[in-house]
């Protein structure tokens, strides 16, 4: 049994469970860099699906699922591990709600952490619930003194069954940095530290 | 891919059943764009039997993506599927649904042109889980019944045998004999 298969098996959701449960707090978007505490950093990055999500591939109609539209939730933790079961609610603590194809800017503790996987809600209507899951195994390197770190664009190549055939980390720093400067001002610098595979 | 397709199972009360599956759009059995998709599941070791198999149309996206069919002595087939990508999404019976995962699903089939598609024969196996874990199962691919065995059974279905499928199935059986 492959790891992917294990991950994929995970996802039995007893009817209604997910919609009726509230996810833990995500890493919050940051409006202004001056809001950052001394022990915090802003993480900048992007998640792409290749090909992009087609119209109608995601059907989220259940109450409370609107936030998941066109987003992959990146599950993160300061300790590395591999999911062998479906992620539990507690695994979502500090997740990054990454809007597909757009840069995210989230505040984070100024410590290195790992991206353990990703979840895309596919259907939530009535009792019909399903998700696709994406591999993790990436390290985000945050150094002392960092205020803003660019981790790259994580591109998941997938088919219509959401089988992932390739993961590519793209350096799209210039575009992200331009957006960063527009958002937070030119006086702040965004350090490039692309995610690295966990060995 | 490993030949064991691990899937998770959940038992859901019958009230939930209706929301999980609906008929696919009506199509004529003799529509030349139809494909016949079929397979077999041995549920002898399952705690409860099944009588319905549901295919999910994953592409092109559809508002009516579910295509149900009966399970008869393990055989299930759908003879009305338009071109697209499909996978078995659940097997269900009285008060029971065995859900298959979206990813890692060996029954996935991509239909580029109309034809006959065999998704395989499988056997249910229970998977030991913890006391408070959701029940799980695996299905293992098995060698029998073969594609030809099942096509002969399908041909025995009066409606299928008399339809345009009759000739196509016979042609496929002849091809398999070679």
């Amino acid at each position: 049994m492959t790891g992917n298969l294990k991950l994929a098996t995970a996802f039995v959701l007893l009817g209604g469970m997910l919609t009726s449960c509230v996810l833990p707090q995500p890493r919050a978007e940051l409006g202004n860099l001056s809001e950052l505490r001394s022990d915090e950093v802003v993480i900048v990055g992007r998640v792409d699906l290749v090909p992009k999500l087609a119209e109608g591939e995601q059907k989220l109609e259940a109450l409370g699922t609107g936030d998941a539209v066109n987003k992959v939730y990146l599950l993160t933790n300061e300790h590395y591990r591999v999911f062998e079961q479906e992620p539990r609610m507690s695994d979502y603590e500090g997740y990054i709600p990454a809007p597909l194809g757009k840069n995210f800017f989230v505040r984070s503790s100024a410590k290195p952490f790992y991206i353990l996987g990703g979840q895309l809600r596919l259907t939530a209507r009535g009792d019909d619930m399903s998700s696709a899951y994406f591999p993790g195994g990436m390290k985000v390197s945050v150094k002392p003194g960092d205020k803003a770190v660019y981790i790259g664009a994580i591109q998941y190549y997938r088919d219509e069954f959401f089988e992932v055939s390739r993961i590519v980390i793209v350096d799209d720093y210039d575009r992200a940095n331009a957006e960063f400067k527009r958002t937070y001002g030119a006086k702040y610098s965004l350090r490039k530290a692309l995610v690295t595979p966990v060995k | 891919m490993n030949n064991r397709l691990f899937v998770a199972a959940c038992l859901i009360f019958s009230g939930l059943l209706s929301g999980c599956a609906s008929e696919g759009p009506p199509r004529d059995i003799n529509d030349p764009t139809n494909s016949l998709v079929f397979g077999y599941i041995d549920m002898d070791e399952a705690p409860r039997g099944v009588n319905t198999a549901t295919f999910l149309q994953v592409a092109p996206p559809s508002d009516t993506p579910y295509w149900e069919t009966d399970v008869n002595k393990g055989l299930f087939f759908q003879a009305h599927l338009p071109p697209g990508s499909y996978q078995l999404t659940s097997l269900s019976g009285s008060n029971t649904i065995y859900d298959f995962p979206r990813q890692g699903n060996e029954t996935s089939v991509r239909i580029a042109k109309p034809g006959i598609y065999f998704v395989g024969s499988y056997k249910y196996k229970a998977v030991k889980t913890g006391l408070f874990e959701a029940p799980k199962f695996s299905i293992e691919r098995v060698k029998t019944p073969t594609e030809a065995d099942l096509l002969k059974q399908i041909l025995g279905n009066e409606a299928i045998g008399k339809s345009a499928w009759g000739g196509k199935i016979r042609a496929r059986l002849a091809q398999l004999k070679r």
Side-chain angles (χ1 to χ4, degrees):
Chain A
M1 182 168 58
T2 66
N4 193 31
L5 201 55
K6 274 183 179 174
L7 190 64
T9 56
F11 314 125
V12 190
L13 302 171
L14 290 177
M17 188 174 82
L18 204 60
T19 44
S20 62
C21 297
V22 178
L23 288 178
Q25 286 297 309
R27 289 171 201 250
E29 283 184 36
L30 185 68
N32 193 316
L33 267 189
S34 62
E35 295 170 14
L36 272 188
R37 297 197 312 253
S38 59
D39 59 349
E40 289 183 321
V41 65
V42 59
I43 301 293
V44 181
R46 194 176 82 219
V47 175
D48 296 331
L49 293 187
V50 185
K52 289 178 182 172
L53 209 54
E55 189 177 344
E57 271 194 296
Q58 193 183 37
K59 296 187 178 79
L60 303 181
E61 296 166 10
L63 280 177
T65 57
D67 183 62
V69 173
N70 218 33
K71 281 181 190 162
V72 164
Y73 290 171
L74 292 177
L75 278 60
T76 64
N77 201 289
E78 289 174 15
H79 303 285
Y80 180 65
R81 64 200 162 92
V82 175
F83 289 119
E84 294 187 356
Q85 294 275 326
E86 72 258 43
R88 299 173 184 215
M89 280 298 166
S90 57
D91 294 321
Y92 286 82
E93 187 69 49
Y95 72 93
I96 297 174
L100 288 169
K102 294 180 180 173
N103 287 315
F104 56 79
F105 299 83
V106 292
R107 66 196 300 171
S108 175
S109 163
K111 293 177 184 170
F113 65 91
Y114 297 92
I115 294 173
L116 305 178
Q119 183 220 19
L120 172 70
R121 299 288 301 277
L122 288 175
T123 54
R125 53 181 193 177
D127 310 307
D128 178 7
M129 317 273 270
S130 66
S131 292
Y133 293 83
F134 298 93
M138 300 167 214
K139 184 176 183 183
V140 176
S141 298
V142 176
K143 289 181 179 173
D146 277 338
K147 278 293 154 204
V149 175
Y150 174 69
I151 66 169
I154 303 166
Q155 296 191 331
Y156 290 111
Y157 285 72
R158 55 94 189 192
D159 64 15
E160 70 270 43
F161 302 104
F162 288 91
E163 302 295 352
V164 175
S165 56
R166 199 153 65 103
I167 304 169
V168 177
I169 308 303
V170 173
D171 179 356
D172 199 9
Y173 176 82
D174 290 345
R175 197 154 67 104
N177 191 42
E179 190 177 350
F180 176 81
K181 301 275 187 208
R182 279 198 306 276
T183 307
Y184 300 114
K187 68 176 178 176
Y188 299 105
S189 64
L190 177 64
R191 184 174 75 84
K192 178 161 63 175
L194 302 184
V195 290
T196 51
V198 177
K199 289 172 184 165
Chain B
M1 181 190 291
N2 191 299
N3 70 343
R4 299 182 75 193
L5 168 61
F6 269 72
V7 291
C10 55
L11 305 179
I12 300 176
F13 291 107
S14 57
L16 300 177
L17 201 69
S18 57
C20 286
S22 60
E23 296 285 340
R27 289 169 62 86
D28 189 295
I29 186 77
N30 293 316
D31 187 322
T33 65
N34 283 346
S35 283
L36 170 66
V37 177
F38 66 103
Y40 173 88
I41 181 75
D42 174 351
M43 297 293 282
D44 283 354
E45 293 181 20
R48 299 177 193 202
V50 296
N51 53 31
T52 304
T54 303
F55 286 99
L56 172 67
Q57 178 180 330
V58 303
S62 167
D63 283 336
T64 52
Y66 296 103
W67 297 80
E68 284 187 0
T69 188
D70 293 342
V71 179
N72 190 354
K73 294 179 182 170
L75 168 67
F76 54 88
F77 64 91
Q78 233 304 349
H80 297 79
L81 296 180
S85 297
Y86 301 85
Q87 58 187 193
L88 195 61
T89 190
S90 67
L91 294 167
S92 53
S94 177
N95 297 339
T96 307
I97 297 177
Y98 299 90
D99 272 338
F100 288 64
R102 274 294 283 266
Q103 296 160 298
N105 187 328
E106 280 190 73
T107 69
S108 298
V109 58
R110 186 177 291 136
I111 301 173
K113 61 177 187 178
I116 295 175
Y117 294 85
F118 177 44
V119 298
S121 289
Y122 299 90
K123 183 173 177 56
Y124 174 100
K125 292 278 184 188
V127 170
K128 202 171 179 182
T129 53
L131 189 60
F132 298 106
E133 286 184 82
K136 292 184 179 179
F137 64 91
S138 72
I139 57 169
E140 287 182 2
R141 194 135 190 174
V142 291
K143 290 181 178 171
T144 57
T146 64
E147 177 179 358
D149 295 336
L150 295 171
L151 283 174
K152 284 174 195 164
Q153 285 186 49
I154 295 170
L155 202 53
N157 178 295
E158 194 178 342
I160 293 290
K162 287 182 178 173
S163 74
W165 282 117
K168 292 175 189 171
I169 292 172
R170 284 184 203 96
R172 176 65 182 153
L173 283 169
Q175 197 178 35
L176 289 170
K177 258 187 183 174
R178 277 184 232 141

